Amino acid sequence: MHSFSQWLFLDESNSRQQNRFQDFGSRVQYGKMIEERIIRVLQNEYGWKVSPVSSKEDKYDKVDGLVQKAAKQVPITLPAYMQVKYRDTGNDLLLEVVWELPNGANQLNPEQLLTGRDMKGKAQIYVSLNQAGNLIRVRSAQEAKEISKSMLTELLASGRKSFRQGANEIRIVTDPRDKRTKVNAFLSPDSFSWKADYPVSENMWAEPEYDPMTVVEPATPATPKGISPQMLAQLETAITQGTATMPKPNNMKKVKEFQKYAKRKGVDVSVQGNQIILKKVA
């Protein structure tokens, strides 16, 4: 894992933007650290009670905790699932609305296109941190989805690649990992009808303190060597969407390693001609 100080060598804002370009595993660990700090502040300073969720709920349902108690009224009945939506490049809430935009999307019912992670996720509360790192913001996930759906309808009708509705925007973008065309919404926290904000007393961007006597073992690689980011992205697609396809690499050794790794993730990988077919095992 990269040293946290790598994100602190310039000013705090620029250093967080640098994090966007680190490897995927480091970015996940970085986000988890911020997530843990946010939950700790809500519990210790504001009396929230947040129960942990299983790794399966975290991965597939896109939730980070189950809120049993909150200091301020929330727009739904507790307990409720929460998701920490950490961003290092903006103050807005980012939602993936459409997983992969098909040809002729403007001819389809927008309801059929709501395939993005956030549209399928089970979070009922979104929790985020402002760029200054001094304010935790709590918003309704249902309201965020309704705003996104409304903007998607307008976007498709306009025939443009982006559409703005007040302080909110929706865009057709290319996923940086697997290059699929998808749709993201960027929502201003101020545009929600219900808001709860919690000032933060500690420095949320502070470098973690380490015990110099503690020996840190090198991290075990999460994936075998030779499995590319594109292969991992298609594996994630199969896990979340059920199936995926990709061109077959020339190196069959890589294919076999990928088959073994995917099997541990519950996905069957088969070769059909020049294509690899990934299918989630029921």
Side-chain angles (χ1 to χ4, degrees), residues 39 42-44 46-52 65-71 78-80 82:
I39 292 175
L42 288 174
Q43 293 194 130
N44 293 350
Y46 291 100
W48 281 46
K49 182 179 179 182
V50 181
S51 300
L66 182 65
V67 180
Q68 305 281 0
K69 177 184 175 183
L78 297 179
M82 65 175 279

Side-chain angles (χ1 to χ4, degrees), residues 10-277:
L10 296 174
D11 65 270
E12 291 174 343
S13 176
N14 285 339
S15 63
R16 291 195 302 278
Q17 292 181 21
Q18 289 287 329
N19 178 57
R20 184 184 185 194
F21 303 102
Q22 306 299 327
D23 67 88
F24 182 70
S26 293
R27 282 186 283 135
V28 169
Q29 292 184 54
Y30 179 81
K32 282 293 182 184
M33 182 191 69
I34 299 299
E35 171 192 316
E36 290 168 2
R37 287 181 173 181
I38 289 173
I39 292 175
R40 185 181 70 245
V41 168
L42 288 174
Q43 293 194 130
N44 293 350
E45 298 188 20
Y46 291 100
W48 281 46
K49 182 179 179 182
V50 181
S51 300
V53 295
S54 67
S55 58
K56 182 177 179 181
E57 288 174 310
D58 184 353
K59 184 172 184 178
Y60 297 111
D61 297 334
K62 308 303 177 187
V63 293
D64 300 311
L66 182 65
V67 180
Q68 305 281 0
K69 177 184 175 183
K72 294 183 179 179
Q73 182 183 2
V74 295
I76 55 173
T77 303
L78 297 179
Y81 285 111
M82 65 175 279
Q83 180 186 5
V84 177
K85 296 192 72 64
Y86 164 72
R87 287 198 71 202
D88 53 25
T89 57
N91 255 320
D92 46 19
L93 292 174
L94 189 158
L95 275 73
E96 184 183 77
V97 182
V98 180
W99 172 263
E100 186 168 16
L101 192 67
N103 293 329
N106 60 336
Q107 304 297 320
L108 300 176
N109 185 327
E111 290 281 354
Q112 298 175 266
L113 298 171
L114 300 176
T115 55
R117 287 192 181 97
D118 292 299
M119 297 298 106
K120 289 181 168 290
K122 293 185 179 180
Q124 298 156 284
I125 300 171
Y126 286 150
V127 180
S128 65
L129 183 68
N130 69 344
Q131 285 291 285
N134 58 12
L135 192 70
I136 295 172
R137 305 169 302 196
V138 181
R139 301 294 185 266
S140 163
Q142 183 58 40
E143 185 174 1
K145 293 176 183 181
E146 290 172 356
I147 294 171
S148 300
K149 178 183 172 183
S150 171
M151 290 199 300
L152 177 62
T153 301
E154 297 289 346
L155 174 70
L156 296 175
S158 72
R160 301 196 300 265
K161 289 188 175 295
S162 65
F163 176 80
R164 182 171 287 277
Q165 188 178 77
N168 301 322
E169 185 178 11
I170 192 166
R171 302 179 207 155
I172 298 174
V173 299
T174 300
D175 188 274
R177 293 182 64 203
D178 60 13
K179 309 305 178 185
R180 60 189 156 86
T181 300
K182 62 180 183 178
V183 179
N184 285 346
F186 303 84
L187 308 183
S188 167
D190 296 329
S191 68
F192 286 70
S193 61
W194 180 90
K195 310 176 185 70
D197 294 330
Y198 299 82
V200 177
S201 60
E202 68 177 88
N203 181 4
M204 301 297 280
W205 311 121
E207 184 172 0
E209 293 184 2
Y210 297 105
D211 183 349
M213 301 302 293
T214 300
V215 177
V216 180
E217 297 294 335
T220 302
T223 57
K225 291 181 180 179
I227 295 181
S228 68
Q230 290 76 17
M231 297 168 86
L232 292 175
Q234 291 305 314
L235 177 59
E236 181 68 19
T237 299
I239 290 171
T240 58
Q241 303 293 313
T243 60
T245 60
M246 61 176 289
K248 179 179 73 69
N250 293 327
N251 189 332
M252 282 304 297
K253 185 177 179 180
K254 289 184 179 181
V255 174
K256 290 180 179 179
E257 288 292 334
F258 187 44
Q259 287 175 319
K260 293 178 183 177
Y261 180 72
K263 186 176 182 180
R264 297 202 301 268
K265 299 289 185 178
V267 174
D268 178 69
V269 175
S270 60
V271 178
Q272 296 183 15
N274 293 323
Q275 294 284 316
I276 286 181
I277 309 299

